[in-house]
Amino acid sequence: MSIDTAVVLAAGEGTRLRPLTRNRPKPMLPAANRPILKYVFDALVAADVRQIVVVVGYKRGRVQDHFGPTYAGVDLKYVTQHKQLGSGHALHQAREAVDGSTLVVNGDRVIDANIVRDVVDEFERSGDPSMAVLERPETSQYGAVVLHEGDVAELVEKPDTDEYRLINAGVYAFESSVFPAIDATERSDGELALTDTIGRLMDDGRVRGVRTEGMWVDATYPWDLLTVADEVLARGHVDEPQREGATWVDPAANVHDAAILQGPVVVGPDCEIGPGAVVGPNAALGQNVTVGANATVRNSVLDTDTRVESGSTLIDAVTGQDVTLGAGTVVPGGPADVRVGREVFEDQRLGAVVADRVTAEGDASFSPGTLVGPDAHIGTSVRAGGRIAGGAEVVR
Amino acid sequence: MCGIIGCVGRVDETLDVLVHGLSKLEYRGYDSAGVALSGDRVDVCKKSGKIEDLRGALESRSIGGAAGIGHTRWSTHGPPTDANAHPHLDCTGDVAVVHNGIIENYQSLRDELATAGHTFKSDTDTEVVPHLVEDALADGADNEAAVREAIARLEGSYAVAVVVSGDDTIYAARNDSPLVLGIDDGDDERGPAYYLASDVPAFRDFTDRVVYLADGEFATLSADSWRVSDVDGNAVDKVVDTVDWDPEETGKSGYDHFMLKEIHEQPRAIRQCLRGRVDEMAATVDIGDLGDLLPTGVQFVACGTSYHAALYGAQLLRNAGIPAHAFLASEYATSPPPIGDALVVGVTQSGETADTLSALREARKRGARTLAVTNTVGSTVARECDHELYIRAGPEIGVAASKTFASQLAALNLFTLGTTRVDGVRDTIGALRDLPSNIQTILDESRAEAVAEEYVDSNAYFFIGRGLQYPVALEGALKMKEITYKHAEGFAAGELKHGPLALVTEDTPVFAVVTGDGEMARKTIGNVKEVEARDAPVVAVTDGQSDVGRYADEVLEVPETHPQAAAVLANVQLQLVSYHVADKLGRSIDKPRNLAKSVTVE
């Protein structure tokens, strides 16, 4: 019973990553300098998947525009989940596109091929529905799993106790009977969670839990993109060719001879880095990023089309796409207490999160933990801090 | 104006390969289609209508053969009927021919053949070819010699492919119409297979190794070998090129239409166009040896959308102090202006546009240097011109050009920056580098669909612009005509009051492209007020720098940028409006009636 088809769930926004998700869903946010979803596709292709069905929804154009009709010779078929009513509902949208057994994978977490292969092996051996299970010190943000002799005995979403140590990695293998099982699953609060369907499958028979150890990296909050980048760079999982040490530079990037790259660092295509700039360690530059003369960029993720003008300093910064930071911008870096809604996250490593299409004129500075919404305009010499709403006009 | 496919070596799969190839070529024409397979006899199936109609007709037939040819037609001689569809047969039914182009001496050949007793079943020029082959065979020639003899009689433009019963070979030749071979030498498990087509996508799913035939060359494809020879039959050594783009770039990636997909691909297309060619910090542009051209005058020749790009390019050069003009290629070919020392630049997406090729040939005949600005590597225009500049937009399938126009504008900026001495190079390069994200902003936030909804029932649409936005107004109107079938006209804003204003009523929305806040914007706003006084709805496409929004019923915003980049951005909004109007009207957006992607007839 071999599996050559996968359904990738990429329809959800990922609201906890706002304001970075204004124009694209979480799977399109950068892990270092390429979309999270690209890692998922790479893992599937490496595990010999030949057909990928992508369930898209929120801002689906961004997924479709980026990947087009194939990835690495594998057909991508897009199906749309018009309303995001849970992971089971998302998978159900793919029922017409799937013929027989299928892998099901969350599109919003960086994974590697080992996880996929382990699930495929167990499914092919046992013939039972199978899911990847990982050991994690912290399970409260995820689905906790209890195994009994390799079978899933218990599934607890976001447990509020610390008695669990295994989590659901979001990589599954099912027979096509999963679709009628979804049909038969009751919705709770209007949503249809895939884990509820798995609960039904557990009642009807066995669901195998596959202990696996591969790369598995998730971002829950915007500043997590910094640690995701660290992990990806530490493993060298980037597209660009290696120059020396942990330095990867696209051939179509323009790095001035008098600029310094300190690994680990990755520089995407069409980037320009000016004389005297110091980029890295732990810096990831997407496509067409400009770092002006004598600027410093460290522990930061700068997404596509970001412009950092000369003399700026960015530490622990995450920028969205098409962000412009004028000359002499300063983001001095974390740690900081970050407020999101009513919650306060203490002591986070975060200089600033600057969402898509923000423009900061020169000489602006951002106190640790600043979150800037999309399209905001920060005037010259502004001392920004806290949370700045999307579209806001901030003057000194 | 048609599409040709051929295949040998695929045994039982021949028919599937042909039909698949035709579906990839449908953009070249689609009023009828057909296939012929040669085994012991020649089996033919052909049908007027779309490829789907041919598929339907094939379901009730069992036809097979080791060598096959197929054709999708866009009528030039005779209406789209089953009889006029290709392939065409001789009297015996042993010779089948597909053809793209126009045989200029077909009437005299046909008269001659009819007098000799041949019976014609169609109105096409093509049908003379199988009968000529038939005569040569009757005179004792072998198959290849017979086809050669027939080809030698033809005048005009053609890509021709022929199969003969009892022979697993395809014979093909070209003159002024595109023809490319696909080479798959096979491996341990399968034998070789060879293909031929008007364009690479037809067989790109099977091989990425291609051989571009030159005019006058003759190709012989059999199950185990391929050969290219000249008119006299001497073997020609051909280079086998590898095409780099992915075949599946020709899928729709989740969109309803290729056109919308291609509109969304513009950020990527511009990135590819600029890649490795600009250095903002050093303020330099690298377009290879084109940088040494330093033209003292430029004449552009182009058709349709490419002509609008040419108008834009000519303005850029004039702004840089170089005398430059854009000409409609079809006019230039027959009444060329004095050329002097001017560089003649042909702008053509496909590189096969017959009118443009003919204008360039006319220029070359008069001793001019020529440059091709094209999207298609290995195309006729690239081979015939002295220089070429590729726009690198990737394959475009929608018949109405969208991303290739944006890429043409970007490439013409590179050409101007690279060959002239102008001020502000760094700012211009910066604006070009900002284009992808600025276009993305429009794609994310455009209100074009709502505007389309509002005005979908209007009688006519007018588009006005000034300076670099004048070509954009023309292109906006052309797009509207092409895909919505509605009346649409573009005007230089200042011309409106000299006549066209008489057409303006409360039922004719006027799209005014107004960017910047300089003199041009002020003057165009004056024209907007003239329109408004006639109660016409006004849709302003603007970067918000001027107050045109106050006089407009609807505003379509574009990000503020350099004037040269603003034209590219404004055009994206107009593309989206036309697309959504056409979609709401239920038009065949990717294949508008009566139109084909690349017009390979004059």
Side-chain angles (χ1 to χ4, degrees), chain A residues 23 59-62 64-70 72-73 75 78 252 254 269-275 287-293 304-305 307 321-322 357 375, chain B residues 246 248-256 260-261 264-265 268 271-272 274-276 278-282 429-431 433-434 436-438 440-445:
Chain A
N23 297 304
K59 307 287 182 192
R60 66 186 175 100
R62 284 303 189 86
Q64 296 167 201
D65 295 348
H66 189 93
F67 292 102
T70 54
D75 279 343
Y78 297 93
N254 221 328
D270 311 329
C271 285
E272 293 205 18
I273 300 179
Q287 279 189 87
N288 198 39
V289 168
T290 308
V291 177
T304 300
D305 297 319
R307 273 178 183 273
Q321 297 183 344
D322 196 13
R357 297 175 193 142
D375 303 296
Chain B
D246 188 327
E248 297 297 340
E249 274 191 47
T250 48
K252 285 187 220 166
S253 31
Y255 288 105
D256 292 337
L260 189 56
K261 169 184 178 258
H264 277 257
E265 281 171 351
R268 178 191 300 204
R271 288 186 208 281
Q272 288 168 355
L274 302 180
R275 184 149 297 160
V278 295
D279 183 336
E280 184 180 341
M281 291 195 198
I429 294 175
R433 288 184 68 220
D434 287 343
S437 58
N438 287 339
Q440 189 63 55
T441 303
I442 296 170
L443 296 174
D444 285 344
E445 298 174 359

